[in-house]
Amino acid sequence: MISALIDLDRAGDEGLVAQLTSQLRSLIAVGRLAKGRTLPSSRQLASDLGVSRNTVTYAFEQLAAEGYLAASHGRRPVVTVDGGERFEGSGAAASNAPSAKPRLSPWASKLKRTDWPMSYQALLKPLRPGHGDAREFPNEIWARCLRRSAVRAARREPGPVNRTRLREALAHYLATSRGVRATTDQIMILPSAQAALTLIAAVLTTPGDDVRVEDPGYPGAAAAFRASGARVTGMGLDQQGMQRMPGMAAPKLIFMTPSHQHPTGRLMSLARRTEFLRWSMSGRTWIVEDDYDGEFHYDSRPVPALQGLDVHGRVLYVGTFSKAMTSDIRLGYLVVPPALIGTFEIAQRHIGLIASSHIQEALAEFIAEGHFLAHLRRMRRLYHLRRDHLVEGLERRLGEVLSVEVPSGGIQLVARLKRGHADQAAVKRLVEAGVETRALSSLALGKPRDHGLLLGFAAWRESEISAAVRTMASCFSRG
Ligand SMILES: Cc1ncc(COP(=O)(O)O)c(C=O)c1O
């Protein structure tokens, strides 16, 4: 059936007539619709494709005008060109053949429709959220670890893909610093936290599954689960974190950022944590805990990870070195419940989400020699000062327009717009003036409830923060 060879993207920018014309033209050009083949009537093809009859008629008329079809009123069109003859002969002709619109998988089509990753300007500008300060990273020490790791490579045992020394170092770090309970073989080393989310979506979700995420929330998570075909819906937040509505059925999977909710920075209360864990004990719900910047806490002792409270093996714990070290390191990790380890390792190899062993070994050494904890301690002090500096500047200069939600940790904060300002327009004005922020409304899944700005403070020196706040103040004073 010809309709099975056609894939129309109704959400795409290109009109349906143009899509259908170009796909039919390509099918003829490559010989899939051979010379002499009679096509279905416009009424039939329109009904098979679920488009209007006019759409098909216009496409047929265009192809008849180009000489691909013979079409006369009341007769079904016939292909008049031998694709093989016309296009296969010379390389030049073949490369000029009109190419069919690539038939993408549902996964790729859904990914293309999300607006994540956002198109940031290439150059990092103050106060772009989501970054630590790469300028403060001890590059000389890291270079020594990398060099030693490379020199020793020839003497190392090949495999395993998740290097034992790094898993051991991480198991110890996560237990002592984050309260995570994991044996070394539960820890997978991946190129990023995003890779962990993609892997989880691939292994645990089926098209149509009910997946819940925070709203507003981290768009990378919604994108990963939506692409896998899950039905992704948001759950609102209150001061205790993600909120479960009474009577809500247990979903297949919940994604959350309980240590510092992305983007608000709120800490999920213990009562809420136990409520979600109890829900997951029904045995149907997986909880994905993304602890992307849990290392940074300023006002009190850190609250241990939710994973540490899970005694039923329902929590998958995701972490990244993008914030704790630098985003160029490209390493993240995933702690998998015992019942899932084997399956996740098979999927990891199949998808090829394997991090370089040179870098894994270098990081194991960096941690073992104490450099990782020393860096974290130093950054915690620095980022704490920077958070306070940004909060003070915003309250002093922009207190009339913005209300700051001070996070107890993390690397970014939310400042809500008090009145009358649409956040996307404000973000646009600010970026033109050299200050890069993210609109809170762009992180909403449903209708945005709040307008505000997500501002990064960790990557910027105090002088840079002051300058950015002055720029913001002058932008807002101009309206
Ligand atoms: C909540 C959250 N999770 C995960 C990530 C991604 O981390 P990675 O760079 O390791 O993919 C980010 C990055 O901004 C984030 O904000």
Side-chain angles (χ1 to χ4, degrees):
M1 213 155 96
I2 289 177
S3 58
L5 303 174
I6 308 275
D7 177 27
L8 300 176
D9 178 4
R10 276 151 231 277
D13 297 333
E14 200 182 12
L16 291 177
V17 174
Q19 291 185 49
L20 181 59
T21 310
S22 98
Q23 290 185 36
L24 284 172
R25 189 192 291 118
S26 307
L27 290 168
I28 296 170
V30 298
R32 294 287 300 273
L33 297 177
K35 186 173 179 179
R37 169 98 179 249
T38 305
L39 302 190
S41 67
S42 54
R43 186 191 303 276
Q44 181 62 52
L45 189 55
S47 139
D48 293 346
L49 293 172
V51 298
S52 79
R53 192 171 168 197
N54 276 346
T55 300
V56 179
T57 308
Y58 292 147
F60 283 172
E61 283 173 3
Q62 177 62 31
L63 292 171
E66 291 176 19
Y68 287 87
L69 296 179
S72 52
H73 190 67
R75 309 271 291 268
R76 290 163 59 196
V78 178
V79 176
T80 50
V81 170
D82 186 334
E85 237 174 53
R86 185 165 162 183
F87 295 108
E88 270 167 16
S90 77
S95 67
N96 283 337
S99 60
K101 185 161 180 271
R103 279 174 64 84
L104 300 176
S105 66
W107 180 81
S109 307
K110 290 203 176 76
L111 274 185
K112 268 180 73 180
R113 265 177 240 143
T114 71
D115 60 357
W116 190 89
M118 63 184 293
S119 45
Y120 274 127
Q121 316 260 326
L123 224 59
L124 197 64
K125 282 189 189 168
L127 303 162
R128 185 190 296 177
H131 288 264
D133 194 343
R135 294 171 294 187
E136 296 291 339
F137 187 65
N139 282 312
E140 290 301 325
I141 299 175
W142 176 240
R144 277 206 303 275
C145 296
L146 276 175
R147 183 172 187 287
R148 264 181 261 157
S149 165
V151 168
R152 286 188 201 132
R155 279 179 272 136
R156 267 200 298 270
E157 293 285 308
V161 296
N162 299 302
R163 305 299 301 181
T164 308
R165 274 182 75 206
L166 181 56
R167 284 168 134 184
E168 284 169 358
L170 258 178
H172 178 72
Y173 163 72
L174 290 174
T176 51
S177 299
R178 305 294 306 122
V180 169
R181 303 200 300 188
T183 57
T184 49
D185 61 352
Q186 281 176 258
I187 299 178
M188 305 178 76
I189 314 295
L190 298 165
S192 62
Q194 192 61 29
L197 299 177
T198 300
L199 196 58
I200 294 169
V203 174
L204 292 181
T205 61
T206 308
D209 273 350
D210 181 9
V211 168
R212 303 290 171 135
V213 298
E214 295 156 326
D215 185 10
Y218 175 54
F225 292 112
R226 206 177 273 133
S228 76
R231 253 182 319 112
V232 177
T233 32
M235 288 168 75
L237 310 166
D238 63 8
Q239 286 304 326
Q240 295 195 61
M242 196 177 200
Q243 220 178 352
R244 180 184 151 194
M245 290 302 159
M248 189 188 271
K252 176 67 173 282
L253 185 147
I254 312 177
F255 170 85
M256 58 175 73
T257 48
S259 301
H260 304 130
Q261 198 273 333
H262 182 288
T264 60
R266 287 179 201 162
L267 173 72
M268 185 183 278
S269 70
L270 183 60
R272 220 29 89 68
R273 288 167 189 243
T274 41
E275 196 183 322
F276 279 115
L277 280 172
R278 241 183 273 121
W279 207 10
S280 75
M281 276 158 47
S282 67
R284 286 198 303 274
T285 303
W286 298 107
I287 294 180
V288 177
E289 175 179 21
D290 181 356
D291 203 10
Y292 64 109
D293 66 358
E295 292 83 5
F296 301 115
H297 41 82
Y298 312 125
D299 297 330
S300 53
R301 292 211 39 78
V303 173
L306 174 86
Q307 192 270 5
L309 302 172
D310 170 33
V311 288
H312 293 272
R314 304 300 301 179
V315 177
L316 293 99
Y317 177 86
V318 177
T320 177
F321 288 98
S322 287
K323 321 290 175 188
M325 293 172 70
T326 93
S327 47
D328 293 339
I329 295 283
R330 293 290 87 209
L331 279 181
Y333 45 92
L334 171 61
V335 180
V336 185
L340 294 173
I341 298 168
T343 316
F344 266 82
E345 283 186 345
I346 291 168
Q348 178 191 25
R349 283 168 185 263
H350 273 273
I351 308 181
L353 291 179
I354 296 168
S356 147
S357 8
H358 290 234
I359 297 182
Q360 291 192 54
E361 293 290 342
L363 181 55
E365 183 155 324
F366 189 78
I367 297 175
E369 290 187 348
H371 306 303
F372 180 60
L373 284 183
H375 178 63
L376 284 185
R377 272 195 301 273
R378 210 164 69 76
M379 291 308 100
R380 217 173 273 138
R381 279 195 299 273
L382 197 63
Y383 296 171
H384 186 170
L385 293 173
R386 292 177 176 182
R387 179 203 65 173
D388 291 350
H389 191 71
L390 178 61
V391 170
E392 190 272 326
L394 291 174
E395 287 178 344
R396 189 159 47 84
R397 289 182 173 267
L398 285 141
E400 304 257 295
V401 210
L402 294 173
S403 133
V404 180
E405 193 163 330
V406 185
S408 61
I411 54 178
Q412 57 204 11
L413 60 78
V414 162
R416 279 165 214 280
L417 286 158
K418 280 188 175 164
R419 58 184 149 77
H421 291 280
D423 57 6
Q424 315 231 4
V427 164
K428 199 155 167 279
R429 271 206 324 275
L430 290 170
V431 89
E432 280 159 12
V435 176
E436 203 176 346
T437 70
R438 175 137 205 188
L440 190 55
S441 66
S442 73
L443 300 169
L445 250 91
K447 195 168 154 10
R449 293 184 187 91
D450 289 308
H451 281 252
L453 305 174
L454 182 61
L455 304 158
F457 51 79
W460 312 106
R461 297 183 177 133
E462 292 191 12
S463 56
E464 292 164 330
I465 293 175
S466 299
V469 170
R470 279 196 301 276
T471 306
M472 290 174 71
S474 85
C475 269
F476 278 106
S477 70
R478 279 185 267 119

